[in-house]
mmCIF file of all heavy atoms in Angstrom:
data_model
loop_
_atom_site.group_PDB
_atom_site.id
_atom_site.type_symbol
_atom_site.label_atom_id
_atom_site.label_comp_id
_atom_site.label_asym_id
_atom_site.label_seq_id
_atom_site.Cartn_x
_atom_site.Cartn_y
_atom_site.Cartn_z
ATOM 1 N N TYR A 114 26.547 -51.140 -89.557
ATOM 2 C CA TYR A 114 25.960 -52.430 -89.891
ATOM 3 C C TYR A 114 24.777 -52.338 -90.876
ATOM 4 O O TYR A 114 24.260 -53.358 -91.318
ATOM 5 C CB TYR A 114 25.486 -53.143 -88.628
ATOM 6 C CG TYR A 114 26.583 -53.271 -87.588
ATOM 7 C CD1 TYR A 114 26.619 -52.405 -86.486
ATOM 8 C CD2 TYR A 114 27.597 -54.207 -87.751
ATOM 9 C CE1 TYR A 114 27.662 -52.506 -85.553
ATOM 10 C CE2 TYR A 114 28.619 -54.290 -86.811
ATOM 11 C CZ TYR A 114 28.638 -53.455 -85.721
ATOM 12 O OH TYR A 114 29.674 -53.539 -84.811
ATOM 13 N N PHE A 116 24.250 -51.404 -94.125
ATOM 14 C CA PHE A 116 24.274 -51.916 -95.483
ATOM 15 C C PHE A 116 24.405 -53.429 -95.515
ATOM 16 O O PHE A 116 23.793 -54.114 -96.338
ATOM 17 C CB PHE A 116 25.399 -51.258 -96.272
ATOM 18 C CG PHE A 116 25.163 -49.783 -96.505
ATOM 19 C CD1 PHE A 116 25.867 -48.818 -95.782
ATOM 20 C CD2 PHE A 116 24.243 -49.364 -97.447
ATOM 21 C CE1 PHE A 116 25.634 -47.467 -95.980
ATOM 22 C CE2 PHE A 116 24.001 -48.001 -97.664
ATOM 23 C CZ PHE A 116 24.699 -47.061 -96.914
ATOM 24 N N SER A 117 25.177 -53.982 -94.595
ATOM 25 C CA SER A 117 25.329 -55.434 -94.533
ATOM 26 C C SER A 117 24.024 -56.118 -94.168
ATOM 27 O O SER A 117 23.616 -57.119 -94.772
ATOM 28 C CB SER A 117 26.436 -55.805 -93.537
ATOM 29 O OG SER A 117 27.668 -55.261 -93.941
ATOM 30 N N TYR A 118 23.336 -55.556 -93.166
ATOM 31 C CA TYR A 118 22.065 -56.157 -92.751
ATOM 32 C C TYR A 118 21.033 -56.027 -93.854
ATOM 33 O O TYR A 118 20.218 -56.942 -94.073
ATOM 34 C CB TYR A 118 21.580 -55.494 -91.471
ATOM 35 C CG TYR A 118 20.433 -56.246 -90.826
ATOM 36 C CD1 TYR A 118 20.625 -57.509 -90.255
ATOM 37 C CD2 TYR A 118 19.173 -55.680 -90.766
ATOM 38 C CE1 TYR A 118 19.570 -58.190 -89.676
ATOM 39 C CE2 TYR A 118 18.110 -56.366 -90.174
ATOM 40 C CZ TYR A 118 18.331 -57.617 -89.624
ATOM 41 O OH TYR A 118 17.290 -58.285 -89.040
ATOM 42 N N ARG A 119 21.047 -54.913 -94.558
ATOM 43 C CA ARG A 119 20.103 -54.732 -95.675
ATOM 44 C C ARG A 119 20.349 -55.757 -96.780
ATOM 45 O O ARG A 119 19.412 -56.271 -97.401
ATOM 46 C CB ARG A 119 20.200 -53.324 -96.256
ATOM 47 C CG ARG A 119 19.125 -53.022 -97.306
ATOM 48 C CD ARG A 119 19.160 -51.583 -97.760
ATOM 49 N NE ARG A 119 20.371 -51.265 -98.497
ATOM 50 C CZ ARG A 119 20.596 -50.085 -99.062
ATOM 51 N NH1 ARG A 119 19.696 -49.098 -98.940
ATOM 52 N NH2 ARG A 119 21.709 -49.860 -99.714
ATOM 53 N N LEU A 120 21.626 -56.082 -97.034
ATOM 54 C CA LEU A 120 21.973 -57.107 -98.013
ATOM 55 C C LEU A 120 21.277 -58.437 -97.669
ATOM 56 O O LEU A 120 20.674 -59.095 -98.528
ATOM 57 C CB LEU A 120 23.483 -57.337 -98.062
ATOM 58 C CG LEU A 120 24.329 -56.456 -98.967
ATOM 59 C CD1 LEU A 120 25.798 -56.795 -98.795
ATOM 60 C CD2 LEU A 120 23.926 -56.621 -100.436
ATOM 61 N N ILE A 121 21.377 -58.815 -96.404
ATOM 62 C CA ILE A 121 20.766 -60.088 -95.959
ATOM 63 C C ILE A 121 19.260 -60.022 -96.122
ATOM 64 O O ILE A 121 18.626 -61.009 -96.538
ATOM 65 C CB ILE A 121 21.176 -60.379 -94.496
ATOM 66 C CG1 ILE A 121 22.675 -60.640 -94.408
ATOM 67 C CG2 ILE A 121 20.394 -61.561 -93.954
ATOM 68 C CD1 ILE A 121 23.144 -61.849 -95.159
ATOM 69 N N ARG A 136 24.819 -56.228 -84.130
ATOM 70 C CA ARG A 136 25.804 -56.952 -84.942
ATOM 71 C C ARG A 136 25.610 -58.471 -84.933
ATOM 72 O O ARG A 136 26.463 -59.198 -85.405
ATOM 73 C CB ARG A 136 27.203 -56.598 -84.437
ATOM 74 C CG ARG A 136 27.519 -57.065 -83.040
ATOM 75 C CD ARG A 136 28.551 -56.184 -82.358
ATOM 76 N NE ARG A 136 27.983 -54.896 -82.001
ATOM 77 C CZ ARG A 136 28.679 -53.882 -81.482
ATOM 78 N NH1 ARG A 136 29.963 -54.030 -81.247
ATOM 79 N NH2 ARG A 136 28.097 -52.741 -81.194
ATOM 80 N N PHE A 138 22.619 -61.587 -85.744
ATOM 81 C CA PHE A 138 21.277 -61.981 -86.158
ATOM 82 C C PHE A 138 21.252 -63.478 -86.434
ATOM 83 O O PHE A 138 22.271 -64.097 -86.739
ATOM 84 C CB PHE A 138 20.809 -61.214 -87.402
ATOM 85 C CG PHE A 138 21.668 -61.407 -88.615
ATOM 86 C CD1 PHE A 138 21.424 -62.454 -89.521
ATOM 87 C CD2 PHE A 138 22.706 -60.533 -88.895
ATOM 88 C CE1 PHE A 138 22.202 -62.616 -90.634
ATOM 89 C CE2 PHE A 138 23.503 -60.701 -90.039
ATOM 90 C CZ PHE A 138 23.235 -61.757 -90.917
ATOM 91 N N VAL A 150 24.637 -65.454 -86.969
ATOM 92 C CA VAL A 150 25.696 -64.738 -87.678
ATOM 93 C C VAL A 150 26.149 -63.533 -86.869
ATOM 94 O O VAL A 150 25.332 -62.754 -86.367
ATOM 95 C CB VAL A 150 25.200 -64.268 -89.068
ATOM 96 C CG1 VAL A 150 26.322 -63.535 -89.821
ATOM 97 C CG2 VAL A 150 24.680 -65.447 -89.880
ATOM 98 N N GLY A 151 27.437 -63.343 -86.757
ATOM 99 C CA GLY A 151 28.020 -62.153 -86.146
ATOM 100 C C GLY A 151 28.714 -61.292 -87.192
ATOM 101 O O GLY A 151 29.488 -61.820 -87.998
ATOM 102 N N MET A 152 28.391 -60.005 -87.230
ATOM 103 C CA MET A 152 29.010 -59.089 -88.181
ATOM 104 C C MET A 152 30.243 -58.472 -87.544
ATOM 105 O O MET A 152 30.160 -57.763 -86.531
ATOM 106 C CB MET A 152 28.004 -58.023 -88.618
ATOM 107 C CG MET A 152 26.854 -58.580 -89.438
ATOM 108 S SD MET A 152 25.707 -57.310 -90.034
ATOM 109 C CE MET A 152 24.703 -57.024 -88.563
ATOM 110 N N ILE A 153 31.406 -58.756 -88.119
ATOM 111 C CA ILE A 153 32.689 -58.320 -87.566
ATOM 112 C C ILE A 153 33.188 -57.126 -88.370
ATOM 113 O O ILE A 153 33.404 -57.202 -89.577
ATOM 114 C CB ILE A 153 33.738 -59.468 -87.638
ATOM 115 C CG1 ILE A 153 33.161 -60.766 -87.082
ATOM 116 C CG2 ILE A 153 35.003 -59.049 -86.923
ATOM 117 C CD1 ILE A 153 32.875 -60.787 -85.619
ATOM 118 N N MET A 154 33.417 -55.994 -87.667
ATOM 119 C CA MET A 154 33.760 -54.743 -88.354
ATOM 120 C C MET A 154 35.246 -54.565 -88.644
ATOM 121 O O MET A 154 35.630 -53.778 -89.491
ATOM 122 C CB MET A 154 33.300 -53.560 -87.511
ATOM 123 C CG MET A 154 31.907 -53.026 -87.860
ATOM 124 S SD MET A 154 31.820 -52.369 -89.538
ATOM 125 C CE MET A 154 33.015 -51.043 -89.417
ATOM 126 N N GLU A 155 36.112 -55.255 -87.924
ATOM 127 C CA GLU A 155 37.545 -54.995 -88.027
ATOM 128 C C GLU A 155 38.040 -55.105 -89.451
ATOM 129 O O GLU A 155 37.554 -55.896 -90.262
ATOM 130 C CB GLU A 155 38.335 -56.002 -87.161
ATOM 131 C CG GLU A 155 38.369 -55.639 -85.679
ATOM 132 C CD GLU A 155 37.144 -56.140 -84.939
ATOM 133 O OE1 GLU A 155 36.206 -56.656 -85.573
ATOM 134 O OE2 GLU A 155 37.131 -56.026 -83.700
ATOM 135 N N PRO A 158 40.311 -58.920 -89.171
ATOM 136 C CA PRO A 158 40.067 -59.578 -87.865
ATOM 137 C C PRO A 158 41.163 -60.562 -87.497
ATOM 138 O O PRO A 158 41.645 -61.314 -88.344
ATOM 139 C CB PRO A 158 38.738 -60.288 -88.093
ATOM 140 C CG PRO A 158 38.082 -59.564 -89.212
ATOM 141 C CD PRO A 158 39.180 -59.095 -90.093
ATOM 142 N N ILE A 163 37.927 -62.632 -83.012
ATOM 143 C CA ILE A 163 36.898 -63.667 -83.134
ATOM 144 C C ILE A 163 36.547 -64.225 -81.754
ATOM 145 O O ILE A 163 35.380 -64.388 -81.400
ATOM 146 C CB ILE A 163 37.388 -64.785 -84.055
ATOM 147 C CG1 ILE A 163 37.703 -64.253 -85.466
ATOM 148 C CG2 ILE A 163 36.347 -65.902 -84.126
ATOM 149 C CD1 ILE A 163 36.527 -63.586 -86.163
ATOM 150 N N PHE A 166 34.588 -61.643 -79.643
ATOM 151 C CA PHE A 166 33.213 -61.542 -80.120
ATOM 152 C C PHE A 166 32.411 -62.724 -79.585
ATOM 153 O O PHE A 166 31.294 -62.554 -79.077
ATOM 154 C CB PHE A 166 33.176 -61.520 -81.642
ATOM 155 C CG PHE A 166 31.862 -61.105 -82.220
ATOM 156 C CD1 PHE A 166 31.662 -59.798 -82.647
ATOM 157 C CD2 PHE A 166 30.823 -62.001 -82.358
ATOM 158 C CE1 PHE A 166 30.454 -59.398 -83.199
ATOM 159 C CE2 PHE A 166 29.600 -61.615 -82.906
ATOM 160 C CZ PHE A 166 29.414 -60.299 -83.309
ATOM 161 N N ILE A 173 28.417 -68.426 -82.305
ATOM 162 C CA ILE A 173 27.890 -68.085 -83.624
ATOM 163 C C ILE A 173 28.328 -69.152 -84.631
ATOM 164 O O ILE A 173 29.298 -69.839 -84.413
ATOM 165 C CB ILE A 173 28.377 -66.690 -84.101
ATOM 166 C CG1 ILE A 173 29.919 -66.606 -84.020
ATOM 167 C CG2 ILE A 173 27.720 -65.581 -83.308
ATOM 168 C CD1 ILE A 173 30.479 -65.306 -84.547
ATOM 169 N N ASP A 174 27.553 -69.289 -85.674
ATOM 170 C CA ASP A 174 27.891 -70.240 -86.729
ATOM 171 C C ASP A 174 28.766 -69.608 -87.796
ATOM 172 O O ASP A 174 29.586 -70.301 -88.413
ATOM 173 C CB ASP A 174 26.595 -70.768 -87.403
ATOM 174 C CG ASP A 174 25.664 -71.436 -86.399
ATOM 175 O OD1 ASP A 174 26.094 -72.417 -85.779
ATOM 176 O OD2 ASP A 174 24.532 -70.938 -86.208
ATOM 177 N N ILE A 175 28.556 -68.287 -87.994
ATOM 178 C CA ILE A 175 29.290 -67.570 -89.040
ATOM 179 C C ILE A 175 29.804 -66.247 -88.454
ATOM 180 O O ILE A 175 29.025 -65.484 -87.881
ATOM 181 C CB ILE A 175 28.401 -67.276 -90.260
ATOM 182 C CG1 ILE A 175 27.945 -68.589 -90.901
ATOM 183 C CG2 ILE A 175 29.131 -66.404 -91.276
ATOM 184 C CD1 ILE A 175 26.827 -68.407 -91.923
ATOM 185 N N ALA A 176 31.093 -65.988 -88.630
ATOM 186 C CA ALA A 176 31.674 -64.699 -88.321
ATOM 187 C C ALA A 176 31.881 -64.007 -89.673
ATOM 188 O O ALA A 176 32.782 -64.356 -90.447
ATOM 189 C CB ALA A 176 33.010 -64.840 -87.582
ATOM 190 N N TRP A 177 31.017 -63.048 -89.966
ATOM 191 C CA TRP A 177 31.011 -62.369 -91.266
ATOM 192 C C TRP A 177 31.823 -61.099 -91.163
ATOM 193 O O TRP A 177 31.394 -60.151 -90.509
ATOM 194 C CB TRP A 177 29.569 -62.114 -91.680
ATOM 195 C CG TRP A 177 29.392 -61.355 -92.959
ATOM 196 C CD1 TRP A 177 30.281 -61.159 -93.951
ATOM 197 C CD2 TRP A 177 28.190 -60.662 -93.365
ATOM 198 N NE1 TRP A 177 29.753 -60.400 -94.955
ATOM 199 C CE2 TRP A 177 28.454 -60.078 -94.615
ATOM 200 C CE3 TRP A 177 26.927 -60.506 -92.785
ATOM 201 C CZ2 TRP A 177 27.488 -59.343 -95.311
ATOM 202 C CZ3 TRP A 177 25.969 -59.766 -93.478
ATOM 203 C CH2 TRP A 177 26.255 -59.198 -94.712
ATOM 204 N N ASN A 178 32.970 -61.048 -91.817
ATOM 205 C CA ASN A 178 33.799 -59.852 -91.841
ATOM 206 C C ASN A 178 33.209 -58.850 -92.848
ATOM 207 O O ASN A 178 33.398 -59.005 -94.064
ATOM 208 C CB ASN A 178 35.233 -60.227 -92.198
ATOM 209 C CG ASN A 178 36.196 -59.072 -92.234
ATOM 210 O OD1 ASN A 178 37.218 -59.111 -92.862
ATOM 211 N ND2 ASN A 178 35.875 -57.985 -91.515
ATOM 212 N N ILE A 179 32.488 -57.855 -92.356
ATOM 213 C CA ILE A 179 31.739 -56.967 -93.239
ATOM 214 C C ILE A 179 32.559 -55.788 -93.750
ATOM 215 O O ILE A 179 32.076 -55.053 -94.617
ATOM 216 C CB ILE A 179 30.447 -56.454 -92.549
ATOM 217 C CG1 ILE A 179 30.797 -55.617 -91.317
ATOM 218 C CG2 ILE A 179 29.535 -57.613 -92.180
ATOM 219 C CD1 ILE A 179 29.593 -54.951 -90.673
ATOM 220 N N ASN A 180 33.761 -55.580 -93.232
ATOM 221 C CA ASN A 180 34.608 -54.490 -93.724
ATOM 222 C C ASN A 180 35.084 -54.868 -95.140
ATOM 223 O O ASN A 180 35.775 -55.858 -95.330
ATOM 224 C CB ASN A 180 35.789 -54.282 -92.796
ATOM 225 C CG ASN A 180 36.536 -52.995 -93.096
ATOM 226 O OD1 ASN A 180 36.815 -52.678 -94.251
ATOM 227 N ND2 ASN A 180 36.871 -52.250 -92.047
ATOM 228 N N PRO A 185 40.038 -61.437 -93.216
ATOM 229 C CA PRO A 185 40.373 -62.080 -91.960
ATOM 230 C C PRO A 185 41.789 -62.687 -92.032
ATOM 231 O O PRO A 185 42.190 -63.201 -93.071
ATOM 232 C CB PRO A 185 39.334 -63.165 -91.786
ATOM 233 C CG PRO A 185 38.226 -62.787 -92.718
ATOM 234 C CD PRO A 185 38.854 -62.054 -93.845
ATOM 235 N N GLU A 199 32.480 -70.581 -89.002
ATOM 236 C CA GLU A 199 33.191 -70.225 -90.227
ATOM 237 C C GLU A 199 33.408 -68.726 -90.270
ATOM 238 O O GLU A 199 32.483 -67.947 -90.012
ATOM 239 C CB GLU A 199 32.388 -70.673 -91.430
ATOM 240 C CG GLU A 199 32.147 -72.180 -91.523
ATOM 241 C CD GLU A 199 31.369 -72.564 -92.770
ATOM 242 O OE1 GLU A 199 31.894 -72.395 -93.898
ATOM 243 O OE2 GLU A 199 30.227 -73.017 -92.620
ATOM 244 N N VAL A 200 34.615 -68.323 -90.594
ATOM 245 C CA VAL A 200 34.944 -66.901 -90.747
ATOM 246 C C VAL A 200 34.991 -66.604 -92.248
ATOM 247 O O VAL A 200 35.737 -67.254 -92.979
ATOM 248 C CB VAL A 200 36.287 -66.557 -90.106
ATOM 249 C CG1 VAL A 200 36.604 -65.077 -90.259
ATOM 250 C CG2 VAL A 200 36.270 -66.943 -88.613
ATOM 251 N N MET A 201 34.179 -65.665 -92.716
ATOM 252 C CA MET A 201 34.071 -65.466 -94.161
ATOM 253 C C MET A 201 33.779 -64.024 -94.533
ATOM 254 O O MET A 201 33.362 -63.200 -93.700
ATOM 255 C CB MET A 201 32.997 -66.375 -94.735
ATOM 256 C CG MET A 201 31.609 -66.192 -94.151
ATOM 257 S SD MET A 201 30.399 -67.362 -94.862
ATOM 258 C CE MET A 201 30.980 -68.919 -94.241
ATOM 259 N N LYS A 202 33.968 -63.744 -95.842
ATOM 260 C CA LYS A 202 33.613 -62.449 -96.443
ATOM 261 C C LYS A 202 32.291 -62.628 -97.174
ATOM 262 O O LYS A 202 31.720 -63.717 -97.244
ATOM 263 C CB LYS A 202 34.709 -61.999 -97.410
ATOM 264 C CG LYS A 202 36.064 -61.775 -96.743
ATOM 265 C CD LYS A 202 36.094 -60.513 -95.900
ATOM 266 C CE LYS A 202 36.055 -59.266 -96.755
ATOM 267 N NZ LYS A 202 36.206 -58.044 -95.954
ATOM 268 N N TRP A 203 31.799 -61.563 -97.796
ATOM 269 C CA TRP A 203 30.490 -61.571 -98.452
ATOM 270 C C TRP A 203 30.429 -62.568 -99.597
ATOM 271 O O TRP A 203 29.432 -63.284 -99.740
ATOM 272 C CB TRP A 203 30.140 -60.171 -98.946
ATOM 273 C CG TRP A 203 28.915 -60.113 -99.796
ATOM 274 C CD1 TRP A 203 28.806 -59.675 -101.065
ATOM 275 C CD2 TRP A 203 27.576 -60.515 -99.398
ATOM 276 N NE1 TRP A 203 27.508 -59.765 -101.513
ATOM 277 C CE2 TRP A 203 26.733 -60.272 -100.510
ATOM 278 C CE3 TRP A 203 27.017 -61.060 -98.250
ATOM 279 C CZ2 TRP A 203 25.375 -60.559 -100.505
ATOM 280 C CZ3 TRP A 203 25.654 -61.354 -98.232
ATOM 281 C CH2 TRP A 203 24.852 -61.101 -99.344
ATOM 282 N N ASP A 204 31.475 -62.671 -100.400
ATOM 283 C CA ASP A 204 31.459 -63.615 -101.527
ATOM 284 C C ASP A 204 31.256 -65.043 -101.053
ATOM 285 O O ASP A 204 30.538 -65.813 -101.685
ATOM 286 C CB ASP A 204 32.743 -63.491 -102.343
ATOM 287 C CG ASP A 204 32.788 -62.228 -103.191
ATOM 288 O OD1 ASP A 204 31.716 -61.601 -103.367
ATOM 289 O OD2 ASP A 204 33.879 -61.850 -103.666
ATOM 290 N N LEU A 206 29.854 -65.905 -98.166
ATOM 291 C CA LEU A 206 28.522 -66.010 -97.577
ATOM 292 C C LEU A 206 27.432 -66.136 -98.639
ATOM 293 O O LEU A 206 26.477 -66.893 -98.479
ATOM 294 C CB LEU A 206 28.249 -64.773 -96.691
ATOM 295 C CG LEU A 206 26.912 -64.757 -95.944
ATOM 296 C CD1 LEU A 206 26.745 -66.000 -95.064
ATOM 297 C CD2 LEU A 206 26.807 -63.498 -95.076
ATOM 298 N N LYS A 207 27.610 -65.425 -99.753
ATOM 299 C CA LYS A 207 26.649 -65.570 -100.868
ATOM 300 C C LYS A 207 26.552 -66.998 -101.361
ATOM 301 O O LYS A 207 25.473 -67.492 -101.652
ATOM 302 C CB LYS A 207 27.034 -64.630 -102.007
ATOM 303 C CG LYS A 207 26.639 -63.202 -101.855
ATOM 304 C CD LYS A 207 26.779 -62.406 -103.143
ATOM 305 C CE LYS A 207 28.221 -62.375 -103.625
ATOM 306 N NZ LYS A 207 28.348 -61.521 -104.840
ATOM 307 N N LEU A 210 24.546 -69.018 -98.921
ATOM 308 C CA LEU A 210 23.120 -68.691 -99.000
ATOM 309 C C LEU A 210 22.463 -69.332 -100.218
ATOM 310 O O LEU A 210 21.277 -69.675 -100.183
ATOM 311 C CB LEU A 210 22.930 -67.168 -99.036
ATOM 312 C CG LEU A 210 23.302 -66.430 -97.749
ATOM 313 C CD1 LEU A 210 23.268 -64.912 -97.986
ATOM 314 C CD2 LEU A 210 22.409 -66.786 -96.617
#
Side-chain angles (χ1 to χ4, degrees):
Y114 305 102
F116 293 104
S117 299
Y118 192 68
R119 187 174 67 177
L120 274 177
I121 294 296
R136 66 208 72 185
F138 61 88
V150 181
M152 293 183 280
I153 311 292
M154 266 296 298
E155 280 85 353
I163 300 300
F166 194 98
I173 53 177
D174 302 299
I175 297 167
W177 176 18
N178 181 203
I179 63 174
N180 192 315
E199 299 181 66
V200 181
M201 58 182 67
K202 299 287 290 185
W203 173 238
D204 286 345
L206 183 55
K207 279 192 298 184
L210 292 172

